[in-house]
Structure formats: C-alpha cells, structure tokens
Amino acid sequence: MFPSRLTGAYTIDPAHSRFGFVARHAMVTKVRGSIPVHEATTSLDATNPAASTVHVVLDVAGIQTGSQIRDGHLRTGDFLDAATHPHITFDSTAVKHVDGDGFEVTGQLTIRGVTRQITFPLEYTGTAVDAQGLTRVGFEGSTVINRKDFGITYNAALETGGVMISDKITLEFDLSAVKTTQA
C-alpha cells in the first residue's frame, strides 16, 4: 500500500514513463514497441484505493517499434488506423489494493473506437523527491489482450505454417507520476 502522504493528484511524466507492447512476430521472435503519452493523470487515495483514478490518452501517430516501415504500417487501417482513431484511451472504473504494493486496476480501454473492459495488475514501485523538489511515484505492470477484440485482424500466413503476427499482445506499463496537488 502506498503511504498516506501520497494522496493527491498526479500527472504522468511522459519523459520517464513507457506505455509499451509486445507482439510475437513470425512465430519465432518478439517485436517491442511503445506509444507516446498524449495526456495522462491519476488521483491517488492512500486510505481508500477504490477512490483512486487513472486516465491515459496515447498518441497513435507516434508509435515506435524501431522500424519506420513497420511503424507506418501500424498507423494504417490494417492495424490502429491513426487517421480515424488518433488516440488509445484508458479510463479506470475501479482500483483495488490486492496485497503489499500490489493493486488491480480495472477500466475501459478503447482502441480503434472499440471499448473493452480490462483488469491489470499494477505494482507500486516507490516514491522519490526529484532534483526539482517534486514528489514522484512509480508503478509498473503488464497484461495481455487479444488484438482481435479491438477489431485488429490483419495477418499474413507463413509458408511454414502459422501466421506472421500473434493475436495476443502484451501491454507493458512503466510509469512515473509527478504530484500536482494535495488531496
């Protein structure tokens, strides 16, 4: 559980946070990527974690996987359709303390205009006061989604059998949030 002094409003620091994903490629390797934060806030209530909230908006046009060709393809209608759906959003509906530093966050994830409820574990990784005197908190976690649940069905068959891209996508969160107000 996070200390009661951490109760308050926070802005997620995009320079020190990562919203990433991992997909199996050609059934033999993994492709890792990230999507930059457009806006993200959270409100922590240490005495009542259920009153905590998380709001995240990611900028699909900024997707990065280390390959400009792949990034461009991921922005098209075959995948994320950035022209029509420029953002991926998540809004929490419940935050539950599980044990120790562990939490479960449930909320509405919207990708390509399709909204699904997901629940993922999130671990509180600590607190620090940075060089500017700002209070920072850290969290990390991951969960697996099925991309087809969000209308992302593009794939290619392999000559050796199987398909080019896995249906299961691992979402990864490494978050640094800066306290903006007291509760």
Side-chain angles (χ1 to χ4, degrees):
M1 192 111 154
F2 39 85
S4 62
R5 71 181 185 285
L6 297 181
T7 296
Y10 291 78
T11 299
I12 294 175
D13 177 0
H16 296 97
S17 299
R18 180 177 179 272
F19 288 89
F21 60 91
V22 181
R24 178 84 44 202
H25 179 260
M27 299 184 67
V28 296
T29 191
K30 294 178 181 177
V31 169
R32 297 181 188 281
S34 63
I35 303 176
V37 174
H38 178 73
E39 69 179 71
T41 58
T42 187
S43 175
L44 301 179
D45 187 329
T47 58
N48 180 14
S52 298
T53 61
V54 179
H55 168 72
V56 177
V57 179
L58 304 178
D59 183 10
V60 174
I63 194 167
Q64 294 182 359
T65 64
S67 167
Q68 289 181 350
I69 292 171
R70 179 174 44 233
D71 297 348
H73 191 197
L74 290 172
R75 292 180 190 110
T76 71
D78 285 344
F79 291 97
L80 296 172
D81 194 7
T84 306
H85 305 285
H87 299 114
I88 293 173
T89 62
F90 177 81
D91 285 293
S92 65
T93 57
V95 177
K96 177 182 168 188
H97 179 243
V98 178
D99 60 24
D101 292 333
F103 296 84
E104 283 185 349
V105 179
T106 300
Q108 300 297 313
L109 176 65
T110 302
I111 302 173
R112 280 184 59 119
V114 177
T115 302
R116 297 279 187 256
Q117 180 173 296
I118 67 166
T119 298
F120 58 89
L122 203 59
E123 181 181 349
Y124 165 65
T125 57
T127 305
V129 176
D130 67 16
Q132 290 78 35
L134 301 172
T135 299
R136 291 179 176 271
V137 294
F139 294 92
E140 63 185 19
S142 67
T143 193
V144 176
I145 63 169
N146 187 320
R147 64 189 180 91
K148 289 183 176 179
D149 291 345
F150 295 91
I152 304 171
T153 58
Y154 175 86
N155 221 330
L158 298 174
E159 289 180 18
T160 57
V163 291
M164 183 67 68
I165 307 154
S166 61
D167 290 341
K168 292 182 179 180
I169 307 296
T170 301
L171 303 180
E172 301 174 327
F173 320 103
D174 292 305
L175 312 175
S176 175
V178 178
K179 192 169 193 179
T180 56
T181 65
Q182 303 294 332

